[in-house]
Amino acid sequence: QSIPFFIAFIGLEFAVSWVQKSKLPGRINDGISSLSLGILSRLPDVLFRSVDLISYIYVWNNYRLFELPWDSPWTWYLTFLGVDFAYYWFHRISHEVNLLWAAHQVHHSSEDYNLFTALRQSVLQKYTSWSFNLPMALFIPPSVFAVHLQFNLLYQFWIHTEVVTKLGPLEWILNTPSHHRVHHGRNPYCIDKNYGGTLIIWDRIFGTFEAEDAKVVYGLTHPVNSFDPIMLQLRPLVHIWNTFWATPGFCNKLSVIFKGPGWGPGKPRLGLPEEIPVITGKEVPFNPSVPAYLNCYAVVHFAVIMDLYTELLATVTMLSQGTILLRIGFIILSLTSFGLLMENRQDKNHIIFFLLSLCVIYQILEIIRCLVFVGVYKLGHLRSQFSSLCYAYEVRY
């Protein structure tokens, strides 16, 4: 239900940015990458129930100490604070524990900062965040918790923008675009700051607050330089795996997993601040040159995938498990293909050459994807929300 509002706010951000700066707030390749990661992060919910709610309800049913009345305003105020407090600590630990950072870093991998970035999410993060909310299940009803969990996440959408500057006195209490721009920066002064979700008071209390100062350069301290959603999700785990086996000593191996991503033998838990790359102001985002027709092609086909994805969400309860898996597989294949086309690489060491063995150009994957679409569409396993577009889709593919 939130998708139409997301689209409307993205359109508004584009309009305001054009009026303010005479330019759009992002790039096609990075925007498609962010949206692809957002879709990918939600696909497990098509197959499985939310681990947040399942675990919460289990604790509530079996271990609650007492029950706060769901219709009391004080219960709602307390839940608002509790959810945001839990999010602060989950978010902070996700930056300070390497294994959790491997999931969360996906959200920080964009070198743009706009509302598309808000949708850039990890597939794995939800499987580590649920435990931080469980103490509330001892006394707060699941229905109240569920509302505030969604509210907390939805609030964080709008703060991913550069078109909103400072908000005056609200900056002391709320997490605002200015505060969150700092959180997404790779400038040394931005690292591990401003973890709040809705409120910024936790950062002020626990010493992790930093006000926006020098111009923020966005992204990871060591940029990934890829738009492939699968690679963006899995590369950090591969890095941890390789570092784990290359690091001598059992305790050091455990430290690779449970200390900060900047840790190394002989270093502090979170690494050495002086090893963070210096920002010169001349950093250039990863932006491979691709023909204009390829950008148009990717945008049009991505719009088709958005249609198929939203139709899947709307009809999932009426579909067989086989059809659901087939649709999910096609969506993943499409998102991967778009990312590789946007990279426009000719690098034979890239993962697609490992997976497809003798293929020499990424366009072969796109040809395969289009042939798969025509086949499964003809068999009735893929459907658009708009019946009038069915023939147009077949012609396009």
Side-chain angles (χ1 to χ4, degrees), residues 307-332:
D307 176 23
L308 300 178
Y309 167 68
T310 52
E311 201 274 340
L312 170 63
L313 296 182
T315 61
V316 64
T317 56
M318 299 180 285
L319 300 175
S320 68
Q321 198 76 355
T323 299
I324 293 173
L325 290 173
L326 190 60
R327 293 189 183 191
I328 289 175
F330 179 74
I331 290 172
I332 293 174

Side-chain angles (χ1 to χ4, degrees), residues 39-145:
I39 292 174
L40 202 62
S41 73
R42 306 308 298 178
L43 289 178
D45 295 339
V46 175
L47 295 172
F48 312 108
R49 293 182 180 182
S50 166
V51 66
D52 282 306
L53 294 180
I54 286 178
S55 57
Y56 192 97
I57 291 171
Y58 177 81
V59 173
W60 169 262
N61 287 337
N62 294 279
Y63 301 106
R64 69 176 180 267
L65 302 177
F66 55 91
E67 181 175 345
L68 294 178
W70 73 268
D71 55 350
S72 168
W74 292 106
T75 301
W76 288 78
Y77 301 149
L78 179 62
T79 309
F80 169 77
L81 292 174
V83 168
D84 203 60
F85 183 72
Y87 178 82
Y88 169 85
W89 282 107
F90 158 70
H91 195 184
R92 180 171 176 173
I93 291 174
S94 292
H95 281 251
E96 296 183 357
V97 174
N98 203 14
L99 186 62
L100 273 64
W101 170 248
H104 183 63
Q105 60 81 36
V106 173
H107 182 60
H108 286 263
S109 58
S110 173
E111 294 179 273
D112 291 344
Y113 190 75
N114 50 45
L115 294 179
F116 285 131
T117 309
L119 304 176
R120 192 181 188 96
Q121 298 295 330
S122 166
V123 172
L124 302 174
Q125 183 170 295
K126 68 188 73 178
Y127 301 107
T128 59
S129 62
W130 59 272
S131 59
F132 289 80
N133 296 312
L134 292 186
M136 289 181 286
L138 299 175
F139 51 91
I140 292 175
S143 57
V144 181
F145 164 75

Side-chain angles (χ1 to χ4, degrees), residues 92-102 192 239-240 243 254-265 267-272:
R92 180 171 176 173
I93 291 174
S94 292
H95 281 251
E96 296 183 357
V97 174
N98 203 14
L99 186 62
L100 273 64
W101 170 248
D192 295 340
H239 176 70
I240 289 177
T243 306
L254 290 181
S255 295
V256 169
I257 298 175
F258 296 109
K259 290 187 178 181
W263 178 86
K267 298 179 184 179
R269 182 175 66 90
L270 299 181
L272 296 170

Side-chain angles (χ1 to χ4, degrees), residues 332-349:
I332 293 174
L333 174 64
S334 298
L335 300 179
T336 302
S337 184
F338 298 153
L340 297 175
L341 287 173
M342 291 291 93
E343 290 180 17
N344 198 28
R345 295 180 189 264
Q346 298 297 326
D347 176 8
K348 294 186 179 181
N349 293 320

Side-chain angles (χ1 to χ4, degrees), residues 225-236:
N225 293 341
S226 177
F227 301 122
D228 176 1
I230 302 300
M231 197 278 282
L232 287 168
Q233 297 279 357
L234 299 181
R235 195 187 79 155

Side-chain angles (χ1 to χ4, degrees), residues 22 38 111 121 124 130 137 157 161 163 169 173 193 212 218 295 322 332 353 370:
S22 298
E111 294 179 273
Q121 298 295 330
L124 302 174
W130 59 272
F157 172 74
T161 185
V163 301
I173 302 170
K193 300 296 182 182
E212 188 176 18
Y218 304 107
N295 279 328
I332 293 174
F353 290 93
C370 291

